[in-house]
Amino acid sequence: MVYHNGQVSDDTGKERFGNRIGMQTYSDRMHADPDLPVLTVAELAELVGEGIGALFPGDLWVEGQVSNLHHARSGHTYFDLVEPVDQPGAAPTALFSVTLWKGNRPGIERTLAAAGGLALEDDLVLRLRADLRFYAPRGRLQLNMTAVDPAFTLGQLAAERDRLLRALADDGLLDRNAGLSIPLPPLRVGLVTSVGSAAHADFATELERSGVGFTLLERDTRVQGEGSALDVAEGLRVVASHRPDVIALVRGGGSATDLAAFDAEVVARTIAAKPPVAIQGTKVSVNYARDHSTADSLDHMATWQAGMFQPADMAEAFAAQAEGREGDFDDLLPFRGGLADGV
């Protein structure tokens, strides 16, 4: 068989037209770059690792947002550190895989907890210290986390909260709920919380113990963790559509990241825009001042100032209104408006 100018001839004299472009391209490439290195996968991985080590010989600080957090049975923790995006649900523009070895994990968890009850969770914005290495078995770059800067995270949380409050004020929503009135007594009570939780039990038990004929409209709602902000907002809309006199939005205490849903813009705008009243109840485990959230700034009761620290206190205040004992709770119940519309 003879090859000539991209044509193939066999010994019968018949010619077949070959893949001229492919053959020429491959041939030209081989002849044009005779000195190109030929490496095995292992050799290439070794060179990449050495190059990364030369560029980043020591630790570095990297800022980003936690995503896809996974605690392995081995005790190690794995997650992606992504560049935060403004649009919810949008794909990250950049990410690195992060490994937190089990030997470093307790110290980092203690550092975060001591700085205002933070915890390593999805969506947390943080600044971590790590060494950058190429992990050859997976063919990827990897950050090995060794420390964290909690002051950065606290600053980011505070800055985002301030930005949201300014945006709500500019839109005329910050005091809108405070200007709404509550029917007295509020006998038709909506409840948005995690049904079966201690906060739910405290609130419902206190209403039942009062002996007053309350109608309680409950909506089981995820109040922490992934997707909780959207679920809280939907819970408020669902309960509001049943036209209650007041909506109680209650939660237990927890870390700053546990309560992140109550700083979410979708929750804040839902609270600010709804006609029936919604109330934020807090059950504070350590320092209630640290639990003050954006949602607290929008509801009709200054719970963090007025001394109403637990869901049971709020329910007792409702009972006092129904029993004509509102004067006993003047210091706890500065009704100044409502919250939520839609249920």
Side-chain angles (χ1 to χ4, degrees):
M1 190 173 292
V2 181
Y3 295 83
H4 178 68
N5 291 333
Q7 293 182 338
V8 183
S9 300
D10 58 24
D11 52 5
T12 63
K14 296 180 180 179
E15 296 184 343
R16 298 192 304 270
F17 193 78
N19 188 340
R20 181 179 304 183
I21 296 178
M23 291 171 61
Q24 288 183 339
T25 300
Y26 180 75
S27 176
D28 290 347
R29 186 183 304 141
M30 290 294 290
H31 289 295
D33 301 306
D35 297 327
L36 278 178
V38 178
L39 302 172
T40 67
V41 173
E43 290 168 341
L44 179 60
E46 183 179 1
L47 287 174
V48 171
E50 290 175 354
I52 293 298
L55 286 172
F56 302 98
D59 287 357
L60 64 155
W61 290 97
V62 187
E63 299 171 0
Q65 188 173 37
V66 177
S67 180
N68 299 320
L69 184 75
H70 171 64
H71 298 297
R73 286 182 294 180
S74 63
H76 307 314
T77 296
Y78 305 95
F79 61 92
D80 293 329
L81 191 67
V82 305
E83 185 69 18
V85 294
D86 295 331
Q87 185 67 29
T93 58
L95 69 81
F96 279 92
S97 298
V98 180
T99 297
L100 173 58
W101 304 116
K102 64 179 180 180
N104 294 326
R105 179 176 165 182
I108 287 176
E109 289 180 339
R110 286 194 298 268
T111 298
L112 289 171
L118 297 172
L120 190 61
E121 295 179 351
D122 278 337
D123 298 328
L124 183 70
V125 177
L126 51 70
R127 176 188 289 155
L128 59 81
R129 181 172 178 170
D131 68 292
L132 179 64
R133 291 292 178 263
F134 179 71
Y135 185 56
R138 292 292 180 88
R140 69 184 183 192
L141 291 174
Q142 177 176 290
L143 291 166
N144 296 319
M145 182 177 180
T146 57
V148 66
D149 178 9
F152 172 81
T153 300
L154 291 173
Q156 290 294 303
L157 291 173
E160 174 58 21
R161 185 180 298 129
D162 290 344
R163 180 204 66 78
L164 178 54
L165 289 175
R166 287 195 302 270
L168 293 169
D170 291 343
D171 292 343
L173 296 176
L174 190 58
D175 297 320
R176 179 174 178 178
N177 189 255
L180 302 175
S181 61
I182 299 176
L184 298 179
L187 295 178
R188 190 172 171 83
V189 178
L191 177 60
V192 176
T193 191
S194 177
V195 173
S197 66
H200 169 262
D202 289 349
F203 186 89
T205 299
E206 192 62 40
L207 287 188
E208 184 177 0
R209 188 162 52 194
S210 72
V212 177
F214 287 104
T215 297
L216 188 61
L217 306 170
E218 297 179 345
R219 203 276 191 173
D220 189 15
T221 303
R222 185 186 304 115
V223 295
Q224 69 182 60
E226 185 177 358
S228 56
L230 291 175
D231 204 35
V232 168
E234 179 63 16
L236 289 170
R237 286 190 286 267
V238 169
V239 173
S241 70
H242 294 277
R243 309 189 68 81
D245 296 331
V246 61
I247 298 176
L249 173 59
V250 303
R251 57 170 169 78
S255 69
T257 47
D258 285 339
L259 306 177
F262 292 80
D263 279 321
E265 185 163 0
V266 64
V267 172
R269 290 190 177 275
T270 301
I271 289 173
K274 298 295 177 186
V277 189
I279 295 174
Q280 167 98 30
T282 64
K283 184 176 182 180
V284 179
S285 56
V286 183
N287 183 337
Y288 67 84
R290 290 180 178 175
D291 276 355
H292 177 47
S293 66
T294 303
D296 292 314
S297 299
L298 295 166
D299 70 19
H300 84 289
M301 294 168 61
T303 57
W304 64 94
Q305 294 173 343
M308 189 172 297
F309 306 144
Q310 302 206 20
D313 296 329
M314 192 196 316
E316 187 177 359
F318 288 168
Q321 289 286 340
E323 296 167 2
R325 297 187 291 112
E326 58 269 24
D328 297 340
F329 289 84
D330 285 345
D331 59 334
L332 292 180
L333 202 58
F335 282 120
R336 64 175 199 270
L339 194 232
D341 125 82
V343 69

